[in-house]
Amino acid sequence: MNAITIIPANVAADPFLEWLDKGREIVRKRKELEWDLADWVLEGREHFPEQLDLALADVSDDPRNLKRIEKTARAFPPSQRCASLSFEHHAHVADLPTQEALPLLREAEREKLPAKKLRIRAMLKKVETGQILPREEDAEDDALMALVRAWNRAPVSVREEFAELMADS
């Protein structure tokens, strides 16, 4: 015989589950908002082409990002968007031809790939199709660039300590 558990109305729901549901809802809204912004930019391009660039400067201080947003919305009309993937996923493949971008998005959806991994696959596809040329391998240049990136990302205190070590060597 199956037992039925009755939970009294005055017993609060699990706080962790409530918190988790709230996070899921925020992420859902964020995905929706990113596409709303993208579609809004496209609408502005269609209806107010002369004023759009001035209007966008008033809305955002990052015109390059707005161009990326517009390119992504243009590449993926609502019928071609994967609801389970982020706007970032779509942006990483937006400059690929549709017949190459859509299979990559489906693959990312199926394999639950993070956007960064999809970006790498998209770059490999671009190299494969000749959209971008692979870099010439130069170990010294690569090492130098790695040092420059590390230096630029390091806090000032770390830079100072490193400079002292270099002076002592």
Side-chain angles (χ1 to χ4, degrees), residues 117-135:
K117 286 198 178 188
L118 179 61
R119 178 177 178 255
I120 292 167
R121 290 189 186 181
M123 287 174 39
L124 291 172
K125 178 61 83 173
K126 291 173 195 174
V127 169
E128 178 186 311
T129 59
Q131 280 187 274
I132 58 175
L133 298 175
R135 286 183 0 158

Side-chain angles (χ1 to χ4, degrees), residues 53-78:
D53 290 328
L54 289 173
L56 292 180
D58 187 49
V59 172
S60 172
D61 60 355
D62 189 355
R64 282 184 58 215
N65 189 44
L66 289 173
K67 295 279 186 203
R68 182 175 152 269
I69 288 170
E70 180 180 355
K71 178 179 74 174
T72 303
R74 191 173 309 288
F76 298 104

Side-chain angles (χ1 to χ4, degrees), residues 13-118:
D14 183 346
F16 173 76
L17 293 178
E18 288 179 356
W19 172 82
L20 187 59
D21 285 344
K22 182 179 179 182
R24 288 180 178 137
E25 181 62 14
I26 291 168
V27 169
R28 186 197 63 74
K29 286 178 182 177
R30 180 178 178 209
K31 283 182 182 179
E32 194 175 291
L33 279 172
E34 288 173 327
W35 283 114
D36 287 348
L37 176 61
D39 293 335
W40 174 79
V41 172
L42 275 186
E43 181 183 352
R45 179 72 63 203
E46 181 182 334
H47 297 289
F48 313 105
E50 298 84 26
Q51 299 104 323
L52 182 69
D53 290 328
L54 289 173
L56 292 180
D58 187 49
V59 172
S60 172
D61 60 355
D62 189 355
R64 282 184 58 215
N65 189 44
L66 289 173
K67 295 279 186 203
R68 182 175 152 269
I69 288 170
E70 180 180 355
K71 178 179 74 174
T72 303
R74 191 173 309 288
F76 298 104
S79 64
Q80 293 182 338
R81 298 172 187 169
C82 295
S84 65
L85 298 178
S86 69
F87 184 86
E88 259 332 279
H89 283 89
H90 292 79
H92 289 318
V93 298
D95 52 356
L96 285 168
T98 304
Q99 69 271 15
E100 293 168 7
L102 291 178
L104 281 173
L105 287 173
R106 285 193 292 274
E107 186 178 307
E109 190 173 34
R110 189 174 54 255
E111 296 177 24
K112 298 184 183 340
L113 289 179
K116 286 185 178 187
K117 286 198 178 188
L118 179 61

